[in-house]
Amino acid sequence: MPKQPSSDKQPLFTVERYMLEESVGYWMHRAKSSLSMSMDQALMPNDITHQQAALMMRILKSGEGSVTPSAMSRDFCIDVGAMTRLVDRLEKRGLIARVRSEEDRRVVKLMLTGEGRTLAAKLPELFVGVLNARFNDFSHAEVDNLKALLRKIADNRETS
């Protein structure tokens, strides 16, 4: 249940003033979709999506065999079925492998293959190029402020 504003604070949003095309959610969705499309276009020569690339980079950064599909579905805010399909596609391409944990055979961990590791190492450069192009009119302070505000929104969701 969302937090209610304290009785002495006026709500930021009201039904009377609400317009979909001016809502925060609308513009966050538009910004995310636009950025995702730019990432997907930059990744097209590698035949992967930005979400697939993000998963591969997360596996590389976290260390081989420390990432589970269930943890990634929570982190990426997608359901387990969508994560399974994402992993299936990357596994079919030979970029990642599912490996059973030696400590608990019920646990599946994700590892990059040699080809996947090579590609994952190249991905940050592509992401940085897209981000620099999309944020070229922003200052460092504006980007830091944007990230802080987005974290605040995400944290409010988790504590409400």
Side-chain angles (χ1 to χ4, degrees), residues 14-66:
T14 64
V15 172
E16 298 79 26
R17 293 187 330 208
Y18 180 79
M19 294 187 326
L20 176 64
E21 62 278 359
E22 289 301 321
S23 74
V24 173
Y26 174 84
W27 285 107
M28 287 175 55
H29 176 75
R30 288 276 311 260
K32 181 198 177 293
S33 294
S34 177
L35 187 57
S36 293
M37 286 173 34
S38 293
M39 290 288 184
D40 285 340
Q41 189 173 20
L43 291 163
M44 203 176 294
N46 298 292
D47 195 28
I48 60 171
T49 66
H50 73 280
Q51 203 166 39
Q52 292 168 338
L55 178 60
M56 292 175 63
M57 287 189 298
R58 179 62 59 86
I59 295 168
L60 184 66
K61 179 181 179 250
S62 298
E64 295 291 322
S66 63

Side-chain angles (χ1 to χ4, degrees), residues 32-123:
K32 181 198 177 293
S33 294
S34 177
L35 187 57
S36 293
M37 286 173 34
S38 293
M39 290 288 184
D40 285 340
Q41 189 173 20
L43 291 163
M44 203 176 294
N46 298 292
D47 195 28
I48 60 171
T49 66
H50 73 280
Q51 203 166 39
Q52 292 168 338
L55 178 60
M56 292 175 63
M57 287 189 298
R58 179 62 59 86
I59 295 168
L60 184 66
K61 179 181 179 250
S62 298
E64 295 291 322
S66 63
V67 173
T68 64
S70 58
M72 289 299 90
S73 67
R74 285 189 301 274
D75 195 43
F76 283 36
C77 297
I78 62 174
D79 63 64
V80 175
M83 180 56 66
T84 298
R85 290 186 296 278
L86 183 74
V87 170
D88 286 347
R89 287 184 199 106
L90 289 170
E91 190 175 41
K92 186 176 181 177
R93 292 262 329 271
L95 298 172
I96 66 170
R98 289 177 170 101
V99 179
R100 293 251 174 232
S101 168
E102 292 184 16
E103 297 85 36
D104 183 346
R105 300 287 297 154
R106 296 171 295 178
V107 176
V108 173
K109 298 192 177 189
L110 303 174
M111 296 187 68
L112 294 168
T113 63
E115 182 182 351
R117 203 172 296 108
T118 300
L119 177 56
K122 296 177 188 176
L123 295 174

